[in-house]
PDB file of all heavy atoms in Angstrom:
ATOM      1  N   VAL I 122       3.862   9.956   6.405  1.00 85.00           N
ATOM      2  CA  VAL I 122       4.735   8.918   6.953  1.00 85.00           C
ATOM      3  C   VAL I 122       4.165   8.489   8.297  1.00 85.00           C
ATOM      4  O   VAL I 122       3.911   9.327   9.164  1.00 85.00           O
ATOM      5  CB  VAL I 122       6.173   9.453   7.138  1.00 85.00           C
ATOM      6  CG1 VAL I 122       7.044   8.399   7.816  1.00 85.00           C
ATOM      7  CG2 VAL I 122       6.763   9.865   5.795  1.00 85.00           C
ATOM      8  N   GLU I 179       7.171   5.506  36.269  1.00 96.00           N
ATOM      9  CA  GLU I 179       8.395   4.725  36.064  1.00 96.00           C
ATOM     10  C   GLU I 179       8.170   3.608  35.049  1.00 96.00           C
ATOM     11  O   GLU I 179       9.031   3.350  34.193  1.00 96.00           O
ATOM     12  CB  GLU I 179       8.862   4.150  37.406  1.00 96.00           C
ATOM     13  CG  GLU I 179       9.357   5.205  38.393  1.00 96.00           C
ATOM     14  CD  GLU I 179       9.633   4.618  39.765  1.00 96.00           C
ATOM     15  OE1 GLU I 179       9.350   3.407  39.977  1.00 96.00           O
ATOM     16  OE2 GLU I 179      10.117   5.360  40.634  1.00 96.00           O
ATOM     17  N   ASN I 201      22.661  10.226  21.211  1.00 96.00           N
ATOM     18  CA  ASN I 201      23.218  11.541  20.861  1.00 96.00           C
ATOM     19  C   ASN I 201      22.723  12.624  21.827  1.00 96.00           C
ATOM     20  O   ASN I 201      23.483  13.469  22.278  1.00 96.00           O
ATOM     21  CB  ASN I 201      22.829  11.919  19.429  1.00 96.00           C
ATOM     22  CG  ASN I 201      23.559  11.092  18.392  1.00 96.00           C
ATOM     23  OD1 ASN I 201      24.615  10.522  18.667  1.00 96.00           O
ATOM     24  ND2 ASN I 201      23.002  11.002  17.198  1.00 96.00           N
ATOM     25  N   ARG I 275      26.768  23.307  36.448  1.00 92.00           N
ATOM     26  CA  ARG I 275      27.796  22.909  37.426  1.00 92.00           C
ATOM     27  C   ARG I 275      28.935  22.105  36.799  1.00 92.00           C
ATOM     28  O   ARG I 275      30.099  22.293  37.161  1.00 92.00           O
ATOM     29  CB  ARG I 275      27.135  22.087  38.530  1.00 92.00           C
ATOM     30  CG  ARG I 275      28.066  21.754  39.680  1.00 92.00           C
ATOM     31  CD  ARG I 275      27.312  21.092  40.815  1.00 92.00           C
ATOM     32  NE  ARG I 275      28.196  20.758  41.925  1.00 92.00           N
ATOM     33  CZ  ARG I 275      27.800  20.134  43.028  1.00 92.00           C
ATOM     34  NH1 ARG I 275      26.531  19.771  43.152  1.00 92.00           N
ATOM     35  NH2 ARG I 275      28.656  19.856  43.987  1.00 92.00           N
ATOM     36  N   LYS I 327      35.230  26.441  21.262  1.00 49.00           N
ATOM     37  CA  LYS I 327      34.468  27.420  20.486  1.00 49.00           C
ATOM     38  C   LYS I 327      34.194  28.659  21.338  1.00 49.00           C
ATOM     39  O   LYS I 327      34.289  29.785  20.882  1.00 49.00           O
ATOM     40  CB  LYS I 327      33.144  26.811  20.013  1.00 49.00           C
ATOM     41  CG  LYS I 327      33.261  25.938  18.787  1.00 49.00           C
ATOM     42  CD  LYS I 327      31.938  25.331  18.410  1.00 49.00           C
ATOM     43  CE  LYS I 327      30.962  26.403  17.967  1.00 49.00           C
ATOM     44  NZ  LYS I 327      29.673  25.809  17.550  1.00 49.00           N
TER      45      LYS I 327
END
Side-chain angles (χ1 to χ4, degrees):
V122 175
E179 292 172 355
N201 289 339
R275 187 173 180 182
K327 280 178 66 178

